[in-house]
Amino acid sequence: MTTFEKIYSLFSIFFVLGLAAALALNPELRQLKPMLILASTGFFINIGYMFVVLRNIMCKSNFRQKDKFFWIALILIIWPASIIYLILYGFQKNITS
């Protein structure tokens, strides 16, 4: 991952956590107009986040094809698995075998 991708990944994770906390703590944000703005912003941020994470998985040369498909399926089914992937493998350099 490049430095920009790492920063973007962390930004998007903190955005989602902050959005969840803001919606839980501020009932006035649960109105239609603020919710549409926040949700659409979060949607576009997370589209970029998923692109960065899935691209990183596909570019790992030290992963077997089976491992790549496992992580892709797990991330697409369970979003928080992407955080675990980033901690375990995502922020490491790509090691060529």
Side-chain angles (χ1 to χ4, degrees):
M1 289 184 111
T2 65
T3 304
F4 173 75
E5 290 172 337
K6 291 176 186 178
I7 292 170
Y8 187 82
S9 299
L10 292 174
F11 167 73
S12 64
I13 291 169
F14 288 130
F15 180 83
V16 168
L17 295 176
L19 179 61
L23 290 173
L25 298 175
N26 294 331
E28 64 270 2
L29 289 177
R30 296 180 204 152
Q31 302 298 321
L32 182 62
K33 188 170 181 166
M35 183 66 108
L36 282 175
I37 294 169
L38 291 172
S40 60
T41 303
F43 175 75
F44 289 114
I45 288 173
N46 279 306
I47 290 288
Y49 171 72
M50 292 302 285
F51 174 77
V52 167
V53 171
L54 295 176
R55 182 184 159 281
N56 183 269
I57 292 172
M58 293 308 293
C59 289
K60 289 283 186 188
S61 60
N62 56 338
F63 272 13
R64 296 178 298 170
Q65 198 70 15
K66 185 176 159 182
D67 295 336
K68 290 179 183 181
F69 287 135
F70 169 75
W71 278 108
I72 290 172
L74 189 63
I75 288 171
L76 291 176
I77 294 170
I78 306 168
W79 180 85
S82 63
I83 299 170
I84 295 169
Y85 169 79
L86 287 177
I87 292 170
L88 294 177
Y89 306 109
F91 293 137
Q92 296 177 357
K93 295 209 182 251
N94 191 5
I95 302 168
T96 56
S97 48

